[in-house]
């Protein structure tokens, strides 16, 4: 599972992402961070990828509407399924270039340079 969070300002994106959770406990566990935003890569692609572990009730999978997510502190239950997903944090300007095929061109150039 992969998702993208897009915003105009990086600070807003990052602060929104790290403040997720509820009063009953956090709904995910951060397992890995790939910081390509602070990279010195000359090609310029920038994002931050967060690998987040999430859990939901297995019984909610039979519903066609939505999953019932479970706070981390309750994951030991036998009725909980756990999965790691990736969320990409990027600026809106970066996303717009990526959505118009810019990322495919970036990959082609990067692959040519590495040969």
């Amino acid at each position: 599972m992969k998702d993208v969070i897009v915003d105009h300002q990086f600070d807003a994106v990052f602060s929104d992402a790290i403040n997720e959770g509820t009063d009953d406990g956090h709904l995910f566990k951060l397992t890995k961070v790939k910081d390509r935003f602070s990279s010195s890569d000359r090609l310029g692609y920038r994002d931050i990828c967060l690998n987040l572990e999430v859990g939901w009730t297995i019984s909610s999978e039979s519903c066609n509407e939505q999953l019932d997510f479970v706070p981390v502190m309750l994951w030991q239950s036998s009725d909980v399924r756990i999965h790691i997903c990736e969320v990409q944090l990027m600026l809106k300007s970066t996303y717009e270039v990526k959505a118009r095929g810019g990322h495919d061109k970036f990959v082609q150039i990067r692959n040519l340079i590495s040969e």
Side-chain angles (χ1 to χ4, degrees):
M1 177 188 298
K2 183 191 271 190
D3 201 357
V4 177
I5 296 174
V6 179
D7 206 318
H8 296 280
Q9 296 180 351
F10 183 72
D11 291 345
V13 172
F14 195 67
S15 66
D16 287 348
I18 63 173
N19 290 321
E20 290 293 321
T22 67
D23 293 339
D24 298 326
H26 294 286
L27 294 176
F28 64 75
K29 187 185 320 180
L30 181 64
T31 60
K32 185 176 181 180
V33 176
K34 292 186 251 176
D35 180 0
R36 295 184 291 219
F37 197 83
S38 302
S39 171
S40 61
D41 185 348
R42 295 174 296 151
L43 296 177
Y45 181 78
R46 301 284 187 263
D47 69 2
I48 291 183
C49 294
L50 305 176
N51 286 359
L52 305 175
E53 194 170 17
V54 296
W56 61 88
T57 59
I58 294 172
S59 57
S60 70
E61 292 178 348
S62 61
C63 302
N64 291 329
E65 294 189 20
Q66 64 184 22
L67 297 174
D68 293 328
F69 289 95
V70 177
V72 173
M73 63 185 166
L74 301 176
W75 287 1
Q76 300 306 316
S77 168
S78 61
D79 184 42
V80 175
R81 187 177 315 271
I82 299 170
H83 182 77
I84 295 178
C85 61
E86 179 181 281
V87 176
Q88 295 177 343
L89 306 175
M90 66 181 63
L91 296 170
K92 185 175 182 182
S93 57
T94 303
Y95 177 76
E96 289 169 348
V97 170
K98 183 178 180 176
R100 291 191 308 259
H103 190 261
D104 293 337
K105 291 175 183 144
F106 164 79
V107 171
Q108 290 174 348
I109 293 168
R110 182 191 63 201
N111 292 343
L112 287 172
I113 290 172
S114 66
E115 289 180 356

